[in-house]
Amino acid sequence: MLSGSVLGMLPVAAERLLHLEMLKGALFVAVTAAILYAVLARIFRQVTTLESVASEREEAKRDILDLLPLPVFVNDGNGKFREVNRAALRILGTTKEAVLGRAPSDLVVRKDADPIKRSLDRALSGAEQRLTCKVTTAEGERNFEILAHHRTTERSSERSAGVIAVCVDITDRLRAKALSEARFSGYREVMSETASSIASLLEARDPFTAGHQKRVGRIAIDIAEQLAIAPFEREGLILSATLHDIGKIGIPIELLIKPGRLTPSEMEVIRGHVRISHDVLRQVDFPWPVAETIFHHHERLDGSGYPQGLAGDQIPLLSRILIVADVADAMTSHRPYRPALPVRTAIEELTINSGKLYDPDVVKACVATLGKPDFANA
């Protein structure tokens, strides 16, 4: 009996944990930035209304900015730095004198100069801006997410506009994300190759179904694209299609290649392959519901299928796609008990039973797939 140990070696659970930690980190940064922005907005509203009372308020405001852990820049109406806190100077590795009076575009890499100028101009007009850019710092180029908002300062009878910008260093987060995606991409390749190898073992044992799982996958993916199934779900669907008959390894070969009609008891043995598939694959922590999708690929919309007699929407959508793709290829492929049937016969079977046995949307997409030149053998 085949076990899921080979596939189970893939550290998908670890990958999920890494993604979770990344999400938690991103959430913490976002919440922190939002809180700091709210505090800053309140501080500036309160302090600027008092600026006309005493000049020492300006010094108090600078002291408050310097207490904040994230870099904060204050621009005037001309887009030049009017104030900057210690956290920002620490990251830039420079002095306040070297920063004040300069434009934000002077601190970012060339490709980000125009985008940041446009964003800050929009912020000056009153539209809150959230953007990312690459800044030249004391440690080299680093990526920052910037939350910029309009502010108005009143001094005696004068009123001036400007922009407050709170910055969050997201360099490490982006690197972790890139590393995670690269690793997960590698895991996907290993999963795909392993699944193909297992499918090949099955086909070597049962030559009549050689290529069946791969063809079912091809039809299923074409259907999924027409139904606008998300790319990530399509990856799970192609893996399910590749492995959907893996349970036949546990079925006696003489039944799989029997040229005549199967007896009711023999048919029950054959039907057991979906449960074998499910029992093997549920041990593997796939990021997709592969075992469930395969378990239901012989159900029918009216409840007449097996193994659970599910009906309608009780059958998962990916299983409904796999059902139709499996029927389409089975009918148009050679079997021990009959030659391959014409594509038009498969289309007639699917169309007649659309809404009864098969999902009508899936049937419509499959008929379009079978009508393509690649499938035309009728």
Side-chain angles (χ1 to χ4, degrees):
M1 177 66 63
L2 180 70
S3 74
S5 59
V6 175
L7 291 174
M9 291 173 64
L10 298 175
V12 177
E15 189 65 26
R16 283 182 173 174
L17 183 59
L18 177 58
H19 278 292
L20 180 60
E21 290 302 317
M22 287 172 56
L23 287 173
K24 287 165 62 179
L27 180 61
F28 173 76
V29 168
V31 170
T32 302
I35 292 173
L36 282 174
Y37 168 73
V39 170
L40 276 172
R42 184 175 181 84
I43 289 169
F44 273 97
R45 280 198 302 270
Q46 293 175 343
V47 174
T48 53
T49 59
L50 298 174
E51 285 180 330
S52 60
V53 178
S55 60
E56 62 264 21
R57 295 297 186 184
E58 189 70 21
E59 185 67 31
K61 186 169 60 178
R62 284 194 291 269
D63 290 342
I64 292 172
L65 285 179
D66 285 338
L67 291 174
L68 299 176
L70 294 179
V72 179
F73 296 86
V74 181
N75 294 6
D76 61 23
N78 297 317
K80 305 297 184 180
F81 291 125
R82 179 176 175 274
E83 190 56 72
V84 59
N85 71 346
R86 288 175 183 166
L89 296 175
R90 237 183 348 259
I91 287 176
L92 294 175
T94 188
T95 63
K96 182 176 291 189
E97 291 72 21
V99 175
L100 297 185
R102 297 178 65 187
S105 55
D106 294 337
L107 303 183
V108 301
V109 297
R110 181 178 298 179
K111 72 178 182 63
D112 290 336
D114 287 339
I116 195 171
K117 184 179 185 303
R118 289 193 296 269
S119 293
L120 294 178
D121 285 345
R122 287 193 291 269
L124 190 61
S125 300
E128 180 178 298
Q129 297 293 301
R130 186 182 296 272
L131 67 148
T132 59
C133 63
K134 188 169 289 187
V135 177
T136 303
T137 73
E139 298 179 7
E141 293 180 356
R142 296 187 70 83
N143 294 283
F144 283 83
E145 183 172 24
I146 300 173
L147 178 65
H149 199 279
H150 172 269
R151 67 176 287 266
T152 300
T153 302
E154 294 185 9
R155 294 174 181 275
S156 300
S157 60
E158 295 184 4
R159 184 183 178 94
S160 61
V163 173
I164 307 172
V166 180
C167 308
V168 179
D169 190 339
I170 59 172
T171 306
D172 294 338
R173 192 208 315 171
L174 292 179
R175 286 174 180 168
K177 180 181 178 183
L179 178 61
S180 173
E181 289 176 349
R183 286 175 175 172
F184 191 52
S185 177
Y187 299 156
R188 283 170 172 159
E189 291 180 12
V190 172
M191 280 191 285
S192 177
E193 292 170 1
T194 303
S196 296
S197 298
I198 294 172
S200 297
L201 287 174
L202 176 61
E203 291 171 357
R205 184 170 180 264
D206 177 13
F208 286 99
T209 59
H212 168 64
Q213 297 181 110
K214 186 176 293 184
R215 291 192 301 271
V216 169
R218 183 174 160 214
I219 296 171
I221 287 301
D222 202 277
I223 293 171
E225 288 174 352
Q226 294 180 61
L227 297 180
I229 301 298
F232 184 76
E233 291 185 86
R234 293 204 298 265
E235 290 184 59
L237 179 60
I238 190 66
L239 189 62
S240 299
T242 303
L243 295 171
H244 78 274
D245 276 340
I246 189 177
K248 287 185 176 178
I249 288 180
I251 305 301
I253 187 62
E254 57 270 19
L255 294 184
L256 296 177
I257 63 174
K258 183 177 178 179
R261 183 179 294 276
L262 295 172
T263 66
S265 60
E266 289 172 335
M267 181 58 72
E268 282 303 309
V269 174
I270 291 288
R271 288 180 172 181
H273 80 280
V274 294
R275 190 166 296 279
I276 296 172
S277 298
H278 180 263
D279 290 346
V280 169
L281 295 174
R282 71 178 178 178
Q283 302 174 51
V284 184
D285 189 18
F286 290 114
W288 310 280
V290 174
E292 180 187 18
T293 300
I294 292 173
F295 191 48
H296 301 304
H297 83 276
H298 279 292
E299 301 286 2
R300 295 295 181 260
L301 214 61
D302 63 357
S304 63
Y306 66 90
Q308 294 182 310
L310 301 184
D313 290 341
Q314 291 179 317
I315 307 170
L317 176 57
L318 296 186
S319 296
R320 281 180 266 156
I321 294 174
L322 191 55
I323 288 166
V324 172
D326 187 41
V327 169
D329 184 72
M331 292 188 69
T332 56
S333 301
H334 289 285
R335 286 292 183 264
Y337 48 86
R338 61 154 175 81
L341 300 173
V343 169
R344 64 173 179 272
T345 303
I347 291 176
E348 289 171 3
E349 157 66 19
L350 295 173
T351 303
I352 290 171
N353 290 293
S354 177
K356 180 184 177 183
L357 302 180
Y358 315 116
D359 184 302
D361 292 331
V362 177
V363 168
K364 182 179 179 181
C366 185
V367 169
T369 298
L370 296 178
K372 294 180 180 180
D374 290 348
F375 294 94
N377 65 354

